[in-house]
Amino acid sequence: QSGMDQPAAVDWAPGQDVIAALLRHLVGEPPSRAHWAALEVCAHAHITSEPLLRALLGEQGRELFAWLREQPYIETTTAGVHPHDVVREALEADLRWRDPDGFADLHTRLRQYMLERVGTAAPARFLQAVGELQFLYRTDGFMADTHRWHPYGLVEDLPYRPDHEPVVLELARDREGAESARAAAYWLARQPEAFRVQRVPPAEDVAGWSAWLKLAAFDGESQDPVAAVAWEHVRRHGPLRAGEHIAMARFHIGRGTYQRPSPVMDLVLWRMLGEIVRDERLAWTFIVMRDDGFWDRHLLHCDMRPVETTVETGGHRYRLFAHDWRPQPADSWLAEKTDEMLGTAPADPAPAAAQGGDALILTRAEFTAAARSALRTLRWPDELALNPLRNSRLVRTHAMPLADVLHNAIHRLPLERGGEKSHRAAMAAFVEGASTQEAAARRLGLPFSTYRRHLAAAVERIIDIMWRHEIDGTPLRRPGAHSAE
């Protein structure tokens, strides 16, 4: 037995004396603090590789990896090494008790490393990278109830091929009925690349399949009742903006276990998380589940909210769980989940969070109108405080006052070709406080028509800058400060 066939014993909670005795007996006294650090990484990560140790511990990672492989309580896999379950949990419990800040720092560094791997992983290693990221959250919420973390490779995840169609539709009819099979056939004809099949070697039979659909408005609304419910929710709670799309985990059908935890379902869940993390233009996700209550607690904990309308098909009722990712990107969401899991969430939330509720999702036209109004009232805080942009992603996600966002956008104008003229016009109109546009033109020594032209260009460019940051989710900082623009 590999020690990886069952979930980690997350409910095991012996006293510190027992943990210390276990570590003395099982681990002994490692040669140095660096060796202890390697053990702590190995305990928290799903699988530890030499590149992982080098990334976290420097060039000594090579030597430390070789030492880990020699230890009797460490097992070797095709992807790296991991400790026996009891050793893993003892090391984890010891570090969390002995150095909570060190444990939190280790988790954060591992999360960043795993996120980068998910973002850059080749298709063949994509799910493994996501599974290793998700493993960091194995003690969070109801994760132990819904994930098994079987050895990677136990199940193969394969791209859909045309010869898979008969078994895919057969499984859909068998588990969900004829109407579901018709919906699957519709999507297969339009997005075959969205479908994956799972196989458990050495058997050749398909053990399950799933579909992660990426939809532009209003794909499938009249052909699939589940898609119709998703689009109605989008209309009511946050319409798409230019360049955005939704994603729908429309099907996840295991041959034996259907939608219950299994090696097949693990891969389906990993793909959902990985697709969310890598999709920069994702507005909404919808996860479709049999409405039997099994997944409710887990999905609610992951901030996937049930939509108001259910769908009945094949004698079964289905529920859509929705999340709008525009107010808070996935990496920020994972950081927040880290704070919750480690108990380090701030008792006094940041100003943006203290306002309550989600960020306001505006169309481009609504955003433009609000930004024009904000510029006009920049020097009047009481009026600016009423502007809809105070609840925008620009403000809420980064806890940045709207006035700072506006000033920073204005100060980015000189970075543009010919932007110095626009910058001078914007400063005179919105920052320096000229009483009229005519007065601002005189102050700059410009004909009034020329000043108006420069100001109009400035306003358009300021709005473009702000909108790009609103869409991308990056903070709008002044030139010279760190910026993702």
Side-chain angles (χ1 to χ4, degrees):
Q1 173 131 354
S2 71
M4 298 292 287
D5 294 340
Q6 297 297 328
V10 296
D11 293 329
W12 181 62
Q16 293 306 319
D17 291 343
V18 174
I19 290 172
L22 275 172
L23 289 176
R24 283 194 302 270
H25 178 70
L26 296 173
V27 175
E29 188 62 38
S32 70
R33 180 69 192 92
H35 292 79
W36 264 116
L39 279 174
E40 290 163 358
V41 171
C42 192
H44 198 50
H46 188 202
I47 299 292
T48 297
S49 63
E50 185 178 307
L52 170 60
L53 285 182
R54 285 203 309 270
L56 268 68
L57 303 178
E59 285 306 311
Q60 61 185 334
R62 182 170 197 158
E63 171 194 337
L64 295 171
F65 183 77
W67 176 79
L68 283 174
R69 293 178 65 185
E70 297 172 354
Q71 304 312 302
Y73 48 84
I74 297 291
E75 294 195 12
T76 300
T77 74
T78 55
V81 300
H82 67 83
H84 291 295
D85 286 346
V86 172
V87 176
R88 182 193 294 278
E89 296 308 319
L91 287 166
E92 286 267 277
D94 177 67
L95 179 59
R96 292 191 74 156
W97 169 77
R98 175 170 46 82
D99 185 6
D101 291 342
F103 184 85
D105 178 67
L106 171 62
H107 178 93
T108 298
R109 289 187 293 136
L110 275 169
R111 185 189 74 235
Q112 288 303 120
Y113 176 85
M114 301 303 181
L115 270 172
E116 290 174 9
R117 288 195 65 225
V118 170
T120 59
R125 295 191 175 273
F126 174 56
L127 287 187
Q128 181 180 352
V130 179
E132 291 173 1
L133 171 64
Q134 190 126 343
F135 188 77
L136 299 179
Y137 294 86
R138 64 192 181 278
T139 62
D140 184 42
F142 307 99
M143 198 71 74
D145 298 332
T146 54
H147 290 70
R148 292 295 179 263
W149 283 285
H150 293 77
Y152 185 76
L154 179 66
V155 178
E156 290 182 346
D157 181 83
L158 305 169
Y160 168 83
R161 302 191 311 263
D163 59 297
H164 289 136
E165 182 174 1
V167 69
V168 165
L169 298 183
E170 173 207 341
L171 281 172
R173 275 190 297 269
D174 181 57
R175 301 314 302 258
E176 297 188 349
E179 188 176 356
S180 180
R182 284 193 294 272
Y186 170 81
W187 291 116
L188 276 172
R190 284 151 183 81
Q191 288 194 39
E193 71 281 0
F195 286 71
R196 308 290 296 190
V197 299
Q198 291 80 40
R199 190 172 69 88
V200 182
E204 294 294 328
D205 293 343
V206 170
W209 63 274
S210 60
W212 179 263
L213 303 169
K214 293 184 179 181
L215 309 178
F218 291 94
D219 291 346
E221 184 174 35
S222 59
Q223 290 84 10
D224 184 353
V226 173
V229 170
W231 287 121
E232 178 59 25
H233 186 84
V234 169
R235 283 190 186 93
R236 294 178 60 185
H237 298 285
L240 298 189
R241 302 173 298 193
E244 295 178 340
H245 59 265
I246 72 170
M248 185 164 59
R250 175 63 180 90
F251 302 97
H252 10 270
I253 300 177
R255 182 178 293 278
T257 57
Y258 186 49
Q259 293 179 355
R260 290 297 187 260
S262 69
V264 168
M265 197 64 186
D266 275 358
L267 296 193
V268 172
L269 294 169
W270 293 357
R271 183 166 294 280
M272 291 181 196
L273 176 61
E275 295 286 357
I276 289 168
V277 167
R278 297 217 298 194
D279 195 338
E280 295 181 352
R281 293 300 184 194
L282 180 61
W284 289 90
T285 54
F286 293 89
I287 297 177
V288 185
M289 289 291 185
R290 181 76 58 84
D291 191 26
D292 57 13
F294 180 84
W295 290 95
D296 292 8
R297 293 193 308 168
H298 173 72
L299 292 172
L300 283 168
H301 181 76
C302 294
D303 301 320
M304 300 294 301
R305 307 296 176 187
V307 306
E308 299 90 339
T309 305
T310 59
V311 180
E312 186 166 342
T313 179
H316 300 288
R317 188 168 294 279
Y318 295 85
R319 174 79 66 177
L320 285 73
F321 293 81
H323 186 97
D324 186 345
W325 293 100
R326 293 169 293 187
Q328 184 182 38
D331 55 351
S332 175
W333 172 77
L334 281 170
E336 186 176 277
K337 287 300 173 189
T338 293
D339 292 340
E340 293 177 8
M341 183 177 71
L342 301 179
T344 56
D348 184 18
Q355 298 174 51
D358 295 328
L360 183 65
I361 305 302
L362 300 171
T363 65
R364 176 62 193 258
E366 292 167 340
F367 186 93
T368 297
R372 290 182 181 277
S373 175
L375 286 168
R376 289 194 297 268
T377 59
L378 179 55
R379 289 181 289 112
W380 290 272
D382 290 344
E383 292 187 45
L384 189 63
L386 301 177
N387 191 283
L389 292 186
R390 74 191 188 281
N391 291 322
S392 66
R393 188 179 182 185
L394 270 172
V395 171
R396 282 187 172 273
T397 301
H398 310 292
M400 185 180 293
L402 177 55
D404 288 357
V405 170
L406 294 163
H407 280 107
N408 294 348
I410 292 170
H411 284 292
R412 295 195 71 84
L413 290 174
L415 300 181
E416 302 291 319
R417 184 174 182 179
E420 187 60 45
K421 296 175 181 178
S422 295
H423 178 250
R424 292 174 61 215
M427 289 293 292
F430 306 127
V431 178
E432 295 168 354
S435 56
T436 64
Q437 289 193 9
E438 289 82 356
R442 287 195 298 273
R443 179 183 296 178
L444 296 177
L446 295 174
F448 183 59
S449 60
T450 302
Y451 168 78
R452 289 283 302 273
R453 188 171 65 253
H454 290 174
L455 182 61
V459 170
E460 292 301 320
R461 184 62 192 130
I462 289 167
I463 294 171
D464 285 344
I465 291 170
M466 292 173 63
W467 177 251
R468 184 165 71 250
H469 284 271
E470 173 77 2
I471 291 293
D472 291 346
T474 54
L476 206 174
R477 305 190 190 282
R478 289 199 184 200
H482 175 70
S483 175
E485 186 182 24

